[in-house]
Amino acid sequence: MAQMGGRRPLVADKRYSAARPQPAKPAPKPAAAKPSRAPARRRRHRNPLVAGVAWLWRGIWRVIWGIGWRLGLAAALILAGAIFYFQSQLPELTALLDARQRGSVTMLDRDGKVFAWRGETFGGQITAETVSPHLKNAVIATEDKRFYGHFGISPRGIASAIRINLAEGRGPLEGNGGSTITQQVAKLLCLGVPFDLAKWKTEAEYEADCRQGSVWRKIKEIPFAVALELKYTKDEILTIYLNRSYLGAGARGFEAASQRYFGISAANVTPAEAAMLAGLLKAPSRYAPTANLQRAQDRGALVLGLMHDQGYLKDADYTYAMAHPAQLSQAAAARAGGFFADWVMESGPSFLTRETTEDVIISTTFDQRIQTAAEAALAAVFGAKLREGSETQAAIVVMSADGAVRAMVGGRRTPNAGDFNRATQALRQTGSTFKPFVYAAALDLGYTPDSIILDAPLTINVRGSGPWSPENYGKEYYGEVTLTTALARSLNTAAVRLSEAVGRDAVRAVASQFGFASTLADGPALALGVSESTLLEMTGAYAGILNGGTSVRPYGLIELRLQGEDAPLIGQTGGMGERVITRAAAAELTWMMTQVIEAGSGGRARLPDRQAAGKTGTTQAARDAWFIGFTADYVAGVWMGYDDNTPLAGVTGAGLPAEIWQAVMVNVHEGLPATPLPTASPESWRAAPTAPPGQGGNQNEDPIGRLLREIFGARGN
């Protein structure tokens, strides 16, 4: 223990160490979890071509999107600008209801009833509230069943129309257009472009341009239609449509169409009538009931079906309407007076008729009953006597003794007939219907119906032409005959001898003063009707014989005034004029002409219950056949022939024309009392001295009286 004095190094005492608290040992750090290493996948190498295409597509899409939204924004701004522009240009509603640049002419018959229209008729302004609810519903059901639910255009309707067009082999915009009523109004307004004579020669050209279905026009319709929706209410847009739509037969707007076809206001139409009117919108000319009533009724039935399916018609109303289709008014069904109306239009100044900018009312002499009677008679005779498909034409004029034209048939309705008025426009040789003027001149100079004239072969040397020898029809001659017999048998040589005896100048003067306005022949053939005239002129000349020898100017216009005005602008355009022959001569000639029917060539014209007078006429080679005559009430003229001057086969004035005249006059006089003609009795002239008859005539008149007559040419009253 030598080392006790020094310090021993401390030695840990197990006991002591155990009893002494020991600082806690830090917990061992858990070993970091080693990530489990999945088996390494083999890296796929992308096809460079696919990567390049994808990269290119992403680039293109970024460009398209960048351009697209900018273009879309620009298009939206342009559309908004266009809508704003169109809206600012739209006028007040009332300025858009009457679209016509020209006026109309409405014609009234002798009883004051409407029978014809010319130009575009505007029946007056109507609104969606004042028209019949049936009409409003029919238009919406037919044209735009979602009208009250869209904003001017209907994408669904356009898509449906494109589908239908493609299915039917047409272009996407050909045929059905899917247009809403608002878009159709945009077309009717020509997208706001007004009519300009410097750009369009006629309104027809203007409207045709407005109706073009080009892609650009379709695009322009969209902002214009939306502008309409913003400017006007739905009912106001429908009001424009109801007033501006063309509905056939010259009717502009539903009021005019309703008046024209049914004779009633659009406010009062029935479901069947409303359906027929709405059906016209698809094709006005094709479905116009005046053109083909059955086709219009079939179209109306289709519209009724749409109205029923869409809940606008109850079952009972639908059934009734289908069983009672719409019918035309009496005036519209008759379609009477077309040729007459055209003639009246020509008789007035153009600025008040054909080119009027005002609505004009013309009162006329027209009689619808007589017109119907004449048309029915012509149809009956031709139907019974002519072969089917014959192109033979005919014309009829009926007038009163003062020249007031009551009826006019300008031709038969054949496939190639056209609108040529054979009563007023066709200049034809008159044949023997001219002979009464020869006898009128003779009677006025003192001849009597009993004066004697020679009927025998005759040759006259015509200066510059050589000898001319007229012949009788049938080449039979009767020697010395009375003037009455010569006229009744229509003897040619007797008429020529009489014309030469009284002088051609006297004959021409009488014919001209009676209204024969055409150039009259100079030679001896004058007496045989080689000069040309119209049926209207000839019938008017015969009216002068009936009225006692006073000339007449045929007329149809009585009064012309502006609609809404009482004072007429134009009065009667014709009537009786100056005296041509004495009343006694006219009475004698009338008696002679009764014998044409009673005992001569006009026997087929004899009437069963009244006196009639007339004259047949057939021209060389039978190119024209005539019969003109009169009763105490009416004068009527009938002409037959071909437009190309082809000779008639087996037809003379004594045949079919006389039969047609007889049928016409029987119909015309139905219900009228029989009135005797103003004729002179044979005793009245047989008791008086007779005039010098020339060839083979009675020489009982004193020489001084005869000389004075020849020098001064007697004209009495």
Side-chain angles (χ1 to χ4, degrees):
M1 299 310 282
Q3 296 179 358
M4 289 294 291
R7 281 188 170 279
R8 283 181 75 181
L10 293 176
V11 178
D13 189 343
K14 290 183 180 178
R15 293 174 297 180
Y16 175 82
S17 301
R20 190 178 179 180
Q22 298 293 319
K25 292 182 179 180
K29 293 181 180 180
K34 294 182 179 180
S36 60
R37 295 182 65 183
R41 289 183 300 179
R42 183 180 297 177
R43 189 174 181 180
R44 297 178 65 183
H45 295 285
R46 196 172 187 182
N47 189 319
L49 179 61
V50 173
V53 170
W55 177 83
L56 181 62
W57 170 249
R58 286 193 297 271
I60 293 173
W61 173 250
R62 290 189 187 99
V63 172
I64 292 174
W65 172 252
I67 295 174
W69 74 264
R70 289 175 175 83
L71 288 177
L73 178 60
L77 292 174
I78 292 172
L79 178 62
I83 293 172
F84 175 77
Y85 170 77
F86 285 135
Q87 183 186 10
S88 66
Q89 297 298 310
L90 290 171
E92 292 300 316
L93 176 68
T94 54
L96 299 178
L97 301 186
D98 188 353
R100 302 169 306 152
Q101 303 298 321
R102 299 286 187 188
S104 66
V105 177
T106 301
M107 297 190 194
L108 310 178
D109 66 12
R110 67 190 298 187
D111 297 321
K113 297 178 181 177
V114 175
F115 75 90
W117 300 263
R118 290 295 181 271
E120 286 192 1
T121 306
F122 184 65
Q125 294 181 358
I126 55 174
T127 69
E129 290 81 14
T130 59
V131 298
S132 165
H134 302 304
L135 180 56
K136 183 177 179 179
N137 294 337
V139 170
I140 292 173
T142 307
E143 296 298 307
D144 188 0
K145 63 182 180 182
R146 288 182 287 272
F147 173 65
Y148 283 101
H150 59 63
F151 54 91
I153 59 174
S154 174
R156 188 192 309 179
I158 295 173
S160 176
I162 292 174
R163 177 180 57 80
I164 293 172
N165 292 335
L166 293 176
E168 295 181 356
R170 298 189 296 263
L173 297 179
E174 297 176 0
N176 290 289
S179 296
T180 64
I181 285 178
T182 309
Q183 287 176 280
Q184 293 182 57
V185 169
K187 287 181 182 178
L188 290 172
L189 298 177
C190 205
L191 302 180
V193 178
F195 175 69
D196 185 357
L197 276 172
K199 186 175 181 181
W200 297 281
K201 294 181 180 179
T202 64
E203 287 183 75
E205 291 182 8
Y206 167 70
E207 292 185 354
D209 187 32
C210 293
R211 288 193 295 266
Q212 285 183 356
S214 64
V215 175
W216 175 238
R217 190 173 290 275
K218 278 286 184 185
I219 292 173
K220 289 175 67 178
E221 275 182 18
I222 294 173
F224 197 92
V226 176
L228 287 170
E229 294 278 344
L230 294 175
K231 177 72 173 181
Y232 309 112
T233 67
K234 286 287 187 179
D235 278 350
E236 287 175 338
I237 293 172
L238 185 58
T239 293
I240 298 172
Y241 191 58
L242 293 174
N243 281 276
R244 291 183 74 107
S245 295
Y246 180 70
L247 297 166
R252 180 70 68 175
F254 280 87
E255 179 65 16
S258 182
Q259 294 285 357
R260 178 160 297 194
Y261 297 131
F262 309 129
I264 59 175
S265 170
N268 301 319
V269 293
T270 65
E273 292 165 343
M276 182 178 285
L277 291 175
L280 295 170
L281 292 165
K282 182 177 179 64
S285 298
R286 173 174 175 77
Y287 292 114
T290 49
N292 188 315
L293 180 59
Q294 184 60 53
R295 187 160 56 206
Q297 289 175 337
D298 293 341
R299 174 68 180 163
L302 179 63
V303 175
L304 285 171
L306 294 173
M307 295 172 69
H308 179 249
D309 293 343
Q310 295 175 35
Y312 291 119
L313 281 181
K314 297 179 181 178
D315 292 344
D317 295 333
Y318 171 69
T319 302
Y320 182 86
M322 290 293 290
H324 300 84
Q327 301 292 333
L328 290 169
S329 67
Q330 182 179 353
R335 298 178 60 194
F339 288 110
F340 178 93
D342 291 340
W343 170 62
V344 169
M345 290 286 285
E346 294 293 331
S347 66
S350 62
F351 69 91
L352 287 174
T353 53
R354 300 180 302 280
E355 300 174 5
T356 179
T357 57
E358 304 284 347
D359 289 322
V360 174
I361 307 295
I362 298 180
S363 299
T364 74
T365 61
F366 186 70
D367 190 309
Q368 296 191 56
R369 182 190 70 83
I370 294 178
Q371 179 72 29
T372 302
E375 292 177 351
L378 178 62
V381 175
F382 268 39
K385 298 298 180 71
L386 264 67
R387 68 181 185 278
E388 187 175 352
S390 172
E391 294 185 358
T392 308
Q393 274 296 343
I396 302 171
V397 172
V398 182
M399 68 174 63
S400 297
D402 67 343
V405 177
R406 303 302 183 187
M408 181 182 290
V409 179
R412 296 173 60 221
R413 293 191 180 101
T414 59
N416 300 315
D419 295 327
F420 181 66
N421 191 337
R422 295 155 190 85
T424 63
Q425 296 174 294
L427 283 169
R428 310 293 295 222
Q429 286 191 348
T430 60
S432 292
T433 55
F434 184 83
K435 288 177 180 175
F437 305 125
V438 176
Y439 290 89
L443 294 171
D444 198 50
L445 288 174
Y447 286 73
T448 74
D450 281 345
S451 295
I452 303 299
I453 195 74
L454 179 63
D455 176 48
L458 173 66
T459 298
I460 298 176
N461 189 36
V462 180
R463 183 179 299 177
S465 300
W468 174 71
S469 301
E471 295 179 338
N472 287 341
Y473 184 79
K475 299 183 180 180
E476 184 177 359
Y477 303 93
Y478 295 88
E480 290 189 346
V481 295
T482 64
L483 299 189
T484 300
T485 300
L487 180 62
R489 293 183 178 179
S490 199
L491 302 178
N492 288 339
T493 61
V496 173
R497 280 189 170 90
L498 185 61
S499 176
E500 295 298 298
V502 301
R504 297 173 206 163
D505 288 343
V507 174
R508 275 195 293 267
V510 168
S512 297
Q513 292 171 43
F514 266 130
F516 204 109
S518 304
T519 302
L520 290 160
D522 291 328
L526 166 72
L528 303 185
V530 297
S531 305
E532 294 180 334
S533 185
T534 67
L535 178 61
L536 181 66
E537 285 178 357
M538 291 297 291
T539 308
Y542 275 53
I545 299 172
L546 171 61
N547 69 32
T550 299
S551 66
V552 302
R553 179 185 172 193
Y555 69 98
L557 189 153
I558 296 175
E559 178 183 284
L560 183 151
R561 57 182 172 84
L562 299 181
Q563 187 173 11
E565 300 289 336
D566 295 328
L569 297 179
I570 296 176
Q572 185 172 310
T573 56
M576 297 180 66
E578 297 181 355
R579 178 164 295 283
V580 179
I581 60 176
T582 64
R583 188 173 294 278
E588 292 171 353
L589 181 57
T590 299
W591 184 86
M592 292 170 63
M593 293 172 69
T594 65
Q595 301 310 297
V596 173
I597 292 176
E598 294 298 325
S601 60
R604 294 189 185 183
R606 187 179 296 112
L607 299 178
D609 60 346
R610 69 193 67 228
Q611 267 189 315
K615 185 69 187 74
T616 59
T618 308
T619 62
Q620 188 175 12
R623 289 185 172 86
D624 304 275
W626 304 69
F627 190 92
I628 308 176
F630 48 84
T631 64
D633 299 295
Y634 294 107
V635 188
V638 175
W639 168 87
M640 273 186 64
Y642 287 98
D643 288 338
D644 60 2
N645 274 326
T646 299
L648 294 162
V651 177
T652 66
L656 282 180
E659 291 184 32
I660 294 170
W661 186 91
Q662 194 263 1
V664 168
M665 295 301 258
V666 166
N667 289 352
V668 165
H669 288 84
E670 183 177 356
L672 295 180
T675 304
L677 281 166
T679 62
S681 64
E683 292 76 13
S684 64
W685 66 74
R686 286 172 184 165
T690 57
Q695 297 284 344
N698 190 322
Q699 304 293 324
N700 290 339
E701 186 183 35
D702 64 281
I704 296 178
R706 186 191 316 167
L707 179 61
L708 290 174
R709 232 177 247 283
E710 291 175 352
I711 294 175
F712 298 108
R715 286 290 187 275
N717 289 317

